[in-house]
Structure formats: structure tokens, C-alpha cells
Amino acid sequence: MALPEAWKLLEQTKARVEWFVSPTSQHPDLDRMNSDQLEEYLAGSKLTGTQRNEIRNADNKLDTYIRIEFWHRLSKVEKQFFELRTYMASQAIFFPDDLKGMYDSIIEKLWSSIVARRVSHEADDHSYHRKAWEAARDEVNPLFKQIEALTRSRLRSHASTLQ
């Protein structure tokens, strides 16, 4: 059934986008670590050898780490986003028009949040980061709740016809 899978992917994508655009994120304070702690942390990370060397050699290790980690986070959120978008493109025929329209709209809003966050990073302009977060909070969340309510209604209706 397309609805449960679409809902699962939407929920995962929404959570990942919120994580990506959140104005608060926690990072290890690499500048306060001694060399053994830093090496242990870097060894457990998914950073490439070149990226680890860049951090080791940086005057401000934390800023360097945050800059590098941004691209890893972007990759994760884009992968999740494209999984949802691809699924909906292949399954849209099975969705009623009202629900399909809501999914189309939320996918557009999620993508706008991702792009705004990327622009913020590339332009070093925090106003775009704020816009990305506000869009996720003020536009995505209400639509998400509407999709949830409509999906519940459709599933209840479907279940009652099976009895």
C-alpha cells in the first residue's frame, strides 16, 4: 500500500530536514581536545583522510570541522529527500488528487528549506539559515499535520470498507 510507505518517507524526510536546518546544532569542541582525544574522535568519524588532515592542521579546528561536516549533512538530507521525491513520483497515480497535491506542496517546501540552508552556508549569510528554519517550522509543520489527518482519514475509511 502506497500511503503507509509515503507517510514513513515523509516523516523521515521531515525529521532529517529539521535536523539540517535547525539553528542549533551541537559539535564536539575539537579545539579543546588534546591530540589523543582529537585523533580518537577523527578516527571514529566518517571524514576522509584529507578532511582529517585539514582539521588537524587548522588553527580553528571546530570551524573547519563545521564547514566540512556541513557537506556530509547536506548529502544525508538530500539522499533522504530524493528517496521521498522518487517514491512519490512513482506512486502518485495511486494517490487521490487532494493528498497528492499536499505531498507535492510539502516536497516543494522541504526542498526550499534545504536550498535556503545551502545558500546560507555558501554565502555565509545567516538570514537564509533563519529563513530555512522558519519555512520548516511555519510552512512544513502545518502541512505535515494536514497530510497526517487526511492519511488517517483515508486509512480509517479503507479499513471500514474491508470489514
Side-chain angles (χ1 to χ4, degrees):
M1 182 182 240
L3 281 178
E5 183 65 18
W7 175 254
K8 180 184 99 178
L9 290 171
L10 176 59
E11 196 170 46
Q12 291 170 344
T13 303
K14 178 182 171 288
R16 184 65 55 102
V17 169
E18 287 173 341
W19 163 78
F20 180 66
V21 302
S22 174
T24 58
S25 59
Q26 295 183 358
H27 302 285
D29 192 349
L30 303 180
D31 293 305
R32 290 188 178 191
M33 292 181 180
N34 65 39
S35 60
D36 289 339
Q37 292 169 323
L38 179 63
E39 287 307 314
E40 186 176 315
Y41 182 80
L42 293 175
S45 73
K46 294 186 180 192
L47 301 174
T48 66
T50 303
Q51 292 168 333
R52 289 177 191 163
N53 283 335
E54 187 177 347
I55 292 168
R56 281 183 197 105
N57 298 325
D59 290 332
N60 189 325
K61 292 170 180 28
L62 181 57
D63 284 349
T64 304
Y65 173 80
I66 290 170
R67 181 181 47 76
I68 292 169
E69 181 64 14
F70 171 84
W71 298 105
H72 289 271
R73 292 168 67 109
L74 176 62
S75 176
K76 287 178 185 177
V77 77
E78 284 181 337
K79 181 178 185 239
Q80 182 67 51
F81 173 82
F82 289 124
E83 187 177 346
L84 169 65
R85 193 177 78 176
T86 300
Y87 182 82
M88 288 307 299
S90 70
Q91 300 298 312
I93 189 99
F94 302 111
F95 283 74
D97 290 340
D98 55 350
L99 193 54
K100 181 192 174 303
M102 287 181 180
Y103 267 93
D104 290 345
S105 182
I106 202 167
I107 286 170
E108 180 183 317
K109 291 175 187 321
L110 288 165
W111 183 246
S112 291
S113 290
I114 293 167
V115 169
R117 178 63 184 100
R118 182 176 181 163
V119 167
S120 168
H121 179 79
E122 291 177 341
D124 197 22
D125 182 343
H126 297 292
S127 67
Y128 285 105
H129 191 170
R130 190 174 339 99
K131 288 177 188 175
W133 173 247
E134 289 170 354
R137 183 192 65 208
D138 300 339
E139 297 174 23
V140 170
N141 283 334
L143 190 51
F144 181 80
K145 293 199 181 300
Q146 290 175 356
I147 292 170
E148 179 181 24
L150 189 53
T151 300
R152 284 182 190 275
S153 172
R154 298 263 180 213
L155 291 174
R156 273 194 298 273
S157 174
H158 180 71
S160 68
T161 61
L162 294 176
Q163 295 176 353

